[in-house]
Amino acid sequence: MQNVIDRRWRRAVPCALALATSLGIANPAWADSPDAASVPVAGTDALRTAGDIVVTARQRPEPAQSVPAALSVVDGAWLDRSLAVNTQALTTLVPALTYSSANPRNTAFTIRGLGSSVVAVSQANDGLEPGVGFYVDGVYHARPATAAFDFADVERVEVLRGPQGTLFGKNTTAGAIAITSRLPSFTPAASEEVSVGERRLVQAKAMATGPLIDDVLAYRLSGLLTRRDGVIHNVRTGADQNSVDNQALRGQLLFTPSASVQLRVVADYARFGGDCCTQVYLRVGTSLRSPARQYAALAAAAHYAPPSTNPYDRLTDIDAGLGVNTNEGGIAATLDWHLGGATLTAISAWRFWNWDAANDRDYTGLPIQTTQHIPSRQDQVSQELRLASDGQRALSYVAGLYYFRQVITGHPISIYGPYGAPWLLGRTTSNGTAIPTNLLDGYGQGGDTRFAVNSYAAFAEANWTIVPRLTLTGGLRQTWEDKQGSYNTSVFGGPQVTNAALLAAQLSVLRPQAYAASTRDSSLSGRANLAWQVSDTVMAYGAYSQGFKSGGINMSGLPLDSANQPVLATAVIRPERNITWEGGIKSQWWDRHLLLNLAAYRTTVRDFQATVVDSSQTVALRGYLSNIPRVRVQGVEADAALHWGGLVLTAGLAYADGRYTDYPKGPCPLEVQTAATTACNLTGKALTGLSRWSETLGVDYRLPMARGEWVLHSDTAWRSSYNGDPSLSRYTWIDGYALTNASLAWRSRRDGGPGVELGVFARNLFKANNIQNLTIQAGNSGLILGTPSDPRTLGVTFRAWQ
């Protein structure tokens, strides 16, 4: 195994160096690309605060401080300095944004506690859509899993908090993450970056841009490669698991045949790989089930002990195969045509996502479940047509049409091993029939699923300056959607049994099921906003918005009736409907050196999509996906930035109180579970996955010297504790944590010119230990698994600009 790792390490470094140099050689001229964007690109000397950044939060360029809404903006220079290349790293910079990922498919992110969260439902369910929209260069990414991929060459990231149903491509109840990559430039430029660190970490980034036809056609090519050994050691195989092996490549063409027409074509491909992803022993909880069916007795009977009961030893002994191989890509064309007083924008895109992975879903060294994976393929096409007024005027507007279609096919497969029956079923059935120890050995389930959606929308928003400094905004969006889903699974393998009790025992673990369902709905959403420009540097606003998260179809199996048939009435999940009231102040002080923004909000969600337990109409052996009556989240947020000479300080603070205000049939906490399927009233309980307090602090300090400058950078994120499971068990509590990343570098470059930089960095500088997400082991033995945070990583970085 060590030889394999050594060979991988020897391959990684040359590949990284080749990537970092090959793109940079394309343009030997030493220059930046000042016309590439309205904000600084990576490596420029000045890191700007949000007050200087031009955003497109309302689908037209305007200063971030002019947008009367809660908005967090991180520019590309800060991202580069923070070594942030994915959505997970972005959470250290934006306190209201949280991210959870047990593996790329099970990726969830929330804003203000709402969205496609691990806290509510299985985020891997293909029939549901996220509550947080994820956009790259104006193109909506339908699957949350694509947010797990690395992104390269970013100009800025905008995190919009609250419903975004009026202007953005898809209705979302929680907010949107909008990533904008850097444009091609007609000024030749190139940059390279290589980082090497502990656990054989190698990360390389490179970019090249310049003209192909002077003032008519320009290109930009950028790429990223990240490789790192695993951080969880398998004592059984000797492998280091949860490794990283990612690549991303983006190519762009910018065509400007005239001053009024611009066409941008972007093609990208990304791959996420590695010996990933597993969890480790976190703790054991007890229930009201028979002691013989709980973890302590089960482990003792199997003569099993985990390699460690301290999750931060990062040890596992899983015995089943592990590995991730997923990729995504696509092509998009964006046309901007200035018509004189207005700009017509057309965005056409096609994207795909492929997924496959092997898992050990029992997370132990016992052969309970030997195979678990869901090979999947998603394709989507989208078309947006938008007309927006230009410049500042008494009445400005944005109006458009949107079409989106996606198709997802899956092939779920699950196979149990020789110790499946003793662990999951016990020694006898309910009527006393002895259960053979091999009853589940080789017993499995396979199948095919297909989910398709068509979505159409018309939208418009107008801004009316009633009197100077007072502007009223109103927007509406009408959405029509139709969805179809089919689910078909069968069982195979295992010993042949004729005894009815034994057959029922097998079927209690896996059973064949087939159904088809469809749904159609339409929704009108909108918002109203009143903004008062109190002075040139202070604005106050109040807003009302009504959001809409699409309904869906449960593509993970349905509860069964007394005839063992799927209950089709539970197949369709209704849309979520969201109402948000928000008020805020945006201000700049001390000759605009200090930025201070405040926002307060209250959000209620009806028909929140969550797990429901209802055994009165079915003989379900578990909860199922449905809607609960109401959820409420309210809070206060503050953002500040100080820019003084070579010092930039940024800070964010968020307080949130989220409650299930009406949840009568929720899943029961482990500590009150019995052998029967029962529901628990979770009304009034805290919303899962939401920290009451979260804050971020960033520091960037440049000390000029005779031939360059020293650059110190640090980012710290702190979150208070929260519950990591929708059952709200006391055993699924996740403690708060503080994470700090830092770097110190010497840069020979000044004022955006050519140069080089050499520095050192530390990820998780103070060795903070925290649990990123947790899982209750299938079968409710009481075993709780968790994904520990990465240990501290030290390394060096070399950057060059031409």
Side-chain angles (χ1 to χ4, degrees):
M1 178 59 65
Q2 185 62 43
N3 290 336
V4 172
I5 295 175
D6 290 340
R7 288 197 300 270
R8 181 181 172 193
W9 172 250
R10 290 193 294 269
R11 289 196 303 267
V13 174
C15 287
L17 294 174
L19 173 64
T21 56
S22 61
L23 297 182
I25 291 173
N27 277 284
W30 290 71
D32 255 315
S33 51
D35 59 332
S38 58
V39 298
V41 299
T44 53
D45 290 337
L47 292 171
R48 301 186 185 182
T49 65
D52 300 306
I53 298 176
V54 173
V55 299
T56 54
R58 296 193 291 182
Q59 303 296 16
R60 54 184 178 273
E62 55 188 334
Q65 284 299 95
S66 299
V67 179
L71 170 68
S72 298
V73 189
V74 184
D75 83 343
W78 197 279
L79 286 170
D80 290 336
R81 184 63 56 200
S82 303
L83 299 177
V85 296
N86 52 40
T87 310
Q88 180 177 12
L90 188 63
T91 61
T92 63
L93 309 176
V94 181
L97 176 68
T98 60
Y99 178 94
S100 174
S101 181
N103 60 49
R105 179 182 175 88
N106 285 27
T107 293
F109 40 88
T110 65
I111 295 175
R112 295 174 172 172
L114 302 174
S116 61
S117 171
V118 70
V119 308
V121 295
S122 171
Q123 63 272 45
N125 194 307
D126 292 336
L128 291 182
E129 295 184 355
V132 175
F134 186 73
Y135 298 83
V136 180
D137 294 328
V139 177
Y140 173 67
H141 289 214
R143 303 316 301 158
T146 62
F149 292 89
D150 291 348
F151 43 76
D153 210 12
V154 173
E155 174 187 317
R156 69 181 182 276
V157 178
E158 303 172 28
V159 179
L160 289 77
R161 309 193 290 271
Q164 303 297 322
T166 304
L167 293 180
F168 278 80
K170 288 286 289 180
N171 277 288
T172 54
T173 53
I177 302 170
I179 297 174
T180 302
S181 59
R182 294 174 178 129
L183 282 169
S185 172
F186 289 99
T187 300
S191 64
E192 303 85 29
E193 175 182 321
V194 176
S195 298
V196 179
E198 294 178 281
R199 284 167 286 280
R200 293 187 168 92
L201 168 68
V202 176
Q203 184 175 87
K205 295 191 288 185
M207 178 281 297
T209 187
L212 295 174
I213 302 175
D214 288 344
D215 299 324
V216 176
L217 184 65
Y219 79 95
R220 192 179 191 101
L221 185 63
S222 54
L224 178 146
L225 178 151
T226 304
R227 289 183 177 174
R228 189 209 64 197
D229 284 352
V231 295
I232 295 178
H233 182 69
N234 191 322
V235 299
R236 176 183 296 271
T237 65
D240 290 326
Q241 298 181 315
N242 286 19
S243 61
V244 176
D245 185 4
N246 301 343
Q247 299 90 41
L249 186 65
R250 176 181 298 271
Q252 301 184 61
L253 291 175
L254 182 65
F255 180 51
T256 56
S258 68
S260 60
V261 176
Q262 174 180 291
L263 176 65
R264 182 189 189 189
V265 179
V266 181
D268 68 278
Y269 174 82
R271 176 183 174 273
F272 187 114
D275 191 18
C276 185
C277 303
T278 191
Q279 297 179 313
V280 301
Y281 177 105
L282 178 59
R283 63 179 69 99
V284 169
T286 58
S287 67
L288 300 180
R289 305 177 75 193
S290 165
R293 303 302 308 141
Q294 299 193 48
Y295 177 82
L298 292 170
H303 306 288
Y304 174 76
S308 174
T309 57
N310 180 356
Y312 305 114
D313 287 339
R314 299 176 175 85
L315 297 177
T316 186
D317 62 349
I318 58 172
D319 57 332
L322 188 69
V324 166
N325 184 12
T326 181
N327 55 75
E328 68 146 351
I331 186 168
T334 301
L335 174 67
D336 290 306
W337 185 6
H338 299 281
L339 303 175
T343 298
L344 179 67
T345 299
I347 305 176
S348 307
W350 164 78
R351 299 202 61 77
F352 73 90
W353 167 65
N354 280 317
W355 163 261
D356 195 11
N359 295 290
D360 187 329
R361 290 301 299 274
D362 60 70
Y363 301 103
T364 70
L366 297 172
I368 300 170
Q369 189 172 14
T370 59
T371 300
Q372 172 69 45
H373 64 124
I374 311 175
S376 302
R377 166 82 184 199
Q378 183 249 7
D379 289 271
Q380 67 172 67
V381 293
S382 59
Q383 177 65 59
E384 184 169 358
L385 190 65
R386 191 170 66 233
L387 184 68
S389 60
D390 292 335
Q392 299 293 325
R393 56 181 67 186
L395 182 64
S396 59
Y397 61 87
V398 177
L401 301 171
Y402 182 77
Y403 169 71
F404 171 81
R405 174 174 172 80
Q406 75 165 331
V407 177
I408 309 173
T409 57
H411 308 283
I413 183 170
S414 179
I415 303 174
Y416 285 87
Y419 208 75
W423 192 271
L424 297 173
L425 299 176
R427 296 180 179 180
T428 62
T429 66
S430 58
N431 67 357
T433 301
I435 296 178
T437 57
N438 68 338
L439 184 63
L440 297 180
D441 190 9
Y443 181 68
Q445 182 186 69
D448 299 284
T449 66
R450 185 180 187 274
F451 177 75
V453 57
N454 289 288
S455 179
Y456 314 82
F459 57 89
E461 184 172 283
N463 302 304
W464 175 35
T465 303
I466 305 172
V467 296
R469 296 185 180 272
L470 187 64
T471 301
L472 176 66
T473 298
L476 291 173
R477 178 191 184 93
Q478 179 66 50
T479 303
W480 302 268
E481 293 191 325
D482 64 81
K483 300 178 180 181
Q484 302 87 35
S486 62
Y487 181 92
N488 192 334
T489 60
S490 59
V491 295
F492 58 85
Q496 297 296 317
V497 295
T498 57
N499 182 283
L502 296 181
L503 181 60
Q506 285 183 328
L507 294 177
S508 71
V509 177
L510 295 174
R511 65 180 66 212
Q513 189 173 118
Y515 62 89
S518 62
T519 180
R520 288 188 176 184
D521 58 57
S522 62
S523 177
L524 180 67
S525 56
R527 65 178 175 181
N529 185 299
L530 187 63
W532 175 31
Q533 195 69 46
V534 181
S535 68
D536 291 342
T537 58
V538 178
M539 178 183 67
Y541 69 90
Y544 167 87
S545 57
Q546 183 173 335
F548 163 75
K549 177 186 173 184
S550 299
I553 298 174
N554 190 345
M555 299 302 297
S556 294
L558 301 180
L560 305 177
D561 60 20
S562 58
N564 284 330
Q565 296 300 310
V567 183
L568 294 179
T570 65
V572 174
I573 299 97
R574 296 189 303 274
E576 289 183 359
R577 302 188 185 277
N578 169 309
I579 292 178
T580 296
W581 294 91
E582 182 177 308
I585 297 175
K586 292 194 166 185
S587 63
Q588 296 181 80
W589 307 89
W590 298 347
D591 196 23
R592 301 180 186 269
H593 287 292
L594 174 65
L595 175 151
L596 180 61
N597 297 336
L598 300 172
Y601 66 91
R602 180 183 174 90
T603 297
T604 57
V605 184
R606 291 184 292 114
D607 287 332
F608 187 71
Q609 295 168 358
T611 298
V612 169
V613 177
D614 184 2
S615 57
S616 63
Q617 300 177 13
T618 72
V619 292
L621 298 178
R622 54 174 173 76
Y624 61 93
L625 195 59
S626 187
N627 302 89
I628 67 174
R630 192 177 298 270
V631 166
R632 185 264 299 152
V633 182
Q634 58 189 9
V636 179
E637 299 161 341
D639 297 287
L642 174 65
H643 195 175
W644 197 274
L647 176 66
V648 178
L649 296 176
T650 65
L653 176 65
Y655 168 81
D657 176 34
R659 298 282 167 181
Y660 296 109
T661 51
D662 194 355
Y663 195 178
K665 297 179 179 180
C668 287
L670 178 65
E671 53 269 27
V672 299
Q673 287 183 9
T674 65
T677 299
T678 58
C680 286
N681 189 345
L682 301 182
T683 299
K685 301 294 185 181
L687 188 66
T688 316
L690 177 62
S691 295
R692 177 157 292 196
W693 291 96
S694 56
E695 65 180 35
T696 60
L697 177 65
V699 179
D700 194 272
Y701 180 64
R702 295 173 295 111
L703 179 63
M705 306 295 286
R707 297 185 178 181
E709 62 183 3
W710 286 99
V711 181
L712 173 66
H713 186 94
S714 175
D715 293 292
T716 297
W718 173 79
R719 298 182 187 277
S720 62
S721 55
Y722 60 93
N723 204 299
D725 185 78
S727 68
L728 302 178
S729 168
R730 69 172 181 263
Y731 298 117
T732 55
W733 197 255
I734 295 179
D735 292 332
Y737 67 92
L739 174 68
T740 298
N741 303 320
S743 63
L744 176 64
W746 167 258
R747 179 192 296 172
S748 67
R749 184 190 201 210
R750 297 288 298 277
D751 300 325
V756 296
E757 177 181 295
L758 181 63
V760 296
F761 69 87
R763 307 288 295 176
N764 192 5
L765 175 63
F766 299 115
K767 299 182 179 181
N769 284 326
N770 67 278
I771 298 299
Q772 299 178 24
N773 48 72
L774 55 76
T775 301
I776 299 178
Q777 187 192 45
N780 287 336
S781 69
L783 177 61
I784 312 294
L785 294 310
T787 303
S789 56
D790 290 347
R792 184 175 67 184
T793 300
L794 303 178
V796 297
T797 297
F798 173 79
R799 294 184 173 101
W801 298 271
Q802 300 95 35

